[in-house]
Amino acid sequence: MTMLQTDSQGHLRHFLNFDDLSYQHLISIMDTAESFVGITKRSIKKVPLLRGHTIVNLFFEPSTRTLTTFELAAKRLSADVLNFHPKTSATKKGESLLDTLHTIEAMQCDMFIVRHADSGAAHFIAQHTHPDVSVINAGDGSHAHPTQAMLDMFTIRHHKTDFTKLSVAIVGDVLHSRVARSQIHALNLLQTGEIRVIAPKTLLSNHIKTLGVEVYHNLEQGIKDVDVIIMLRLQKERMQGALLPSENEYFQLYGLTANKLKLAKPDVIVMHPGPINRGVEMDSIVADGPHSVILQQVSYGIAIRMAVMSMILTPPQSQ
Ligand code: CP
């Protein structure tokens, strides 16, 4: 996967994962997003930056947050947006992924936003698409979800400023989570003070410690004195076999309640990429409580996606 994402000057061409990105890339994405936050608060939420560009949402897996915020972000940049719906497309008649791709490419589009259940699908499309077309990974299998991780980093930066002094806990189904994988990668690139991962052994991979994290199997110990808690969704659709005794037991052991939250720092923020399973991953009183920044994550998703799309399609020499 080396260097597919950047050109010889280090500008973003695709955004698939964090493999060949640097600290400076992440800071540039967040600084660019900062300039778009103001636009999202105006009465006319539009700038002409991507006028004349065509962006195609290729979502082969369900989505609420990612699909809608990518569409809104593209429209706020004045791009033309096409939403491809696999369920009502010729893929149902057996058309292959590559034939679908080349068919849409023939309509002179500039960017594909790809969500797919298979790990590596966005990378595969980036390798096979026309050289003038860029690809953003909107979540592939259990591999990566880089714009989600970026909006999470952006949300943390708004509340906490200095990553090197932070203790961040990621809780739950790390094994199946593309979000957790991307968050850990981004937190490491941003030189985060401490990254803790809290999960039952059945929901962690064997090589988790090689990612530079501290592993806990007890929630109360793991969230003690942390600045940020990121709860993960139980990815039931990706679980094979009995990895959990029951949802009720999972909640007793790993569910975040108001009482458990008191163990973290008094100004802790609570995050969740969504969708939330209330009463399984966390109590509603926490999800909707004063420490929760879950809906801010959604809002910042628009600015982050505007930043990534504009950085790819209008690199500095053409701005
Ligand atoms: N966080 C996230 O990817 O949510 P959606 O599946 O709703 O896009």
Side-chain angles (χ1 to χ4, degrees):
M1 297 212 181
T2 47
M3 307 316 280
L4 176 65
Q5 300 191 91
T6 52
D7 66 16
S8 56
Q9 293 170 297
H11 300 139
L12 274 183
R13 282 202 61 241
H14 305 287
F15 192 29
L16 308 172
N17 54 37
F18 291 104
D19 279 357
D20 47 332
L21 299 195
S22 64
Y23 171 86
Q24 197 48 52
H25 282 116
L26 272 61
I27 297 297
S28 296
I29 292 170
M30 290 195 281
D31 288 349
T32 307
E34 211 68 69
S35 67
F36 290 127
V37 169
I39 291 165
T40 65
K41 290 179 180 158
R42 288 188 203 158
S43 56
I44 297 176
K45 302 174 181 62
K46 229 172 169 81
V47 287
L49 211 51
L50 295 190
R51 195 164 53 196
H53 288 86
T54 303
I55 294 174
V56 182
N57 282 321
L58 277 179
F59 276 58
F60 295 91
E61 203 193 52
S63 166
T64 297
R65 281 144 283 265
T66 313
L67 176 62
T68 49
T69 54
F70 262 116
E71 182 172 350
L72 265 184
K75 286 179 172 169
R76 287 180 183 178
L77 292 167
S78 304
D80 294 318
V81 183
L82 182 69
N83 288 319
F84 171 79
H85 302 287
K87 282 190 180 148
T88 53
S89 76
T91 54
K92 284 283 164 205
K93 299 181 219 165
E95 188 162 62
S96 72
L97 179 60
L98 280 183
D99 281 337
T100 302
L101 183 74
H102 295 318
T103 300
I104 299 174
E105 261 175 10
M107 302 171 201
Q108 290 83 39
C109 62
D110 300 290
M111 178 176 274
F112 288 123
I113 315 292
V114 179
R115 164 153 308 185
H116 203 287
D118 293 340
S119 299
H123 185 259
F124 176 81
I125 289 175
Q127 278 182 316
H128 289 88
T129 195
H130 189 278
D132 291 339
V133 179
S134 294
V135 177
I136 297 179
N137 183 1
D140 63 326
S142 54
H143 171 235
H145 195 350
T147 58
Q148 175 69 45
M150 281 314 307
L151 72 89
D152 295 333
M153 299 306 112
F154 192 62
T155 307
I156 293 173
R157 192 171 84 158
H158 269 251
H159 288 272
K160 301 293 178 188
T161 60
D162 186 354
F163 279 84
T164 65
K165 295 192 170 72
L166 290 185
S167 181
V168 178
I170 301 174
V171 184
D173 184 1
V174 180
L175 180 66
H176 301 100
S177 177
R178 56 196 176 208
V179 174
R181 218 170 306 278
S182 288
Q183 286 167 337
I184 292 169
H185 213 146
L187 287 166
N188 275 319
L189 280 171
L190 293 168
Q191 299 157 14
T192 303
E194 185 184 31
I195 309 168
R196 303 182 188 179
V197 159
I198 307 163
K201 285 184 181 155
T202 50
L203 294 181
L204 283 173
S205 69
N206 291 332
H207 73 282
I208 186 71
K209 284 191 180 157
T210 65
L211 302 180
V213 300
E214 290 291 320
V215 174
Y216 292 79
H217 301 298
N218 178 287
L219 179 66
E220 285 86 342
Q221 288 169 8
I223 62 172
K224 190 155 173 31
D225 297 327
V226 296
D227 302 279
V228 178
I229 301 175
I230 304 176
M231 302 303 293
L232 300 172
R233 182 174 72 85
L234 276 185
Q235 312 242 327
K236 286 176 271 186
E237 73 277 19
R238 293 189 218 286
M239 288 185 191
Q240 287 165 349
L243 296 179
L244 293 172
S246 72
E247 287 186 356
N248 188 39
E249 191 168 336
Y250 180 83
F251 180 69
Q252 297 308 319
L253 293 173
Y254 293 98
L256 190 59
T257 61
N259 262 344
K260 289 178 192 167
L261 191 58
K262 289 178 191 156
L263 296 164
K265 291 238 179 92
D267 62 348
V268 66
I269 57 169
V270 175
M271 305 172 68
H272 193 304
I276 306 170
N277 292 306
R278 288 170 185 262
V280 179
E281 291 127 23
M282 62 169 76
D283 235 340
S284 279
I285 202 158
V286 176
D288 305 326
H291 296 276
S292 171
V293 295
I294 294 169
L295 291 178
Q296 273 179 38
Q297 290 174 260
V298 177
S299 302
Y300 286 147
I302 300 171
I304 281 290
R305 288 169 175 137
M306 288 171 82
V308 174
M309 287 190 286
S310 63
M311 285 169 72
I312 290 175
L313 291 177
T314 61
Q317 68 272 19
S318 61
Q319 276 179 350

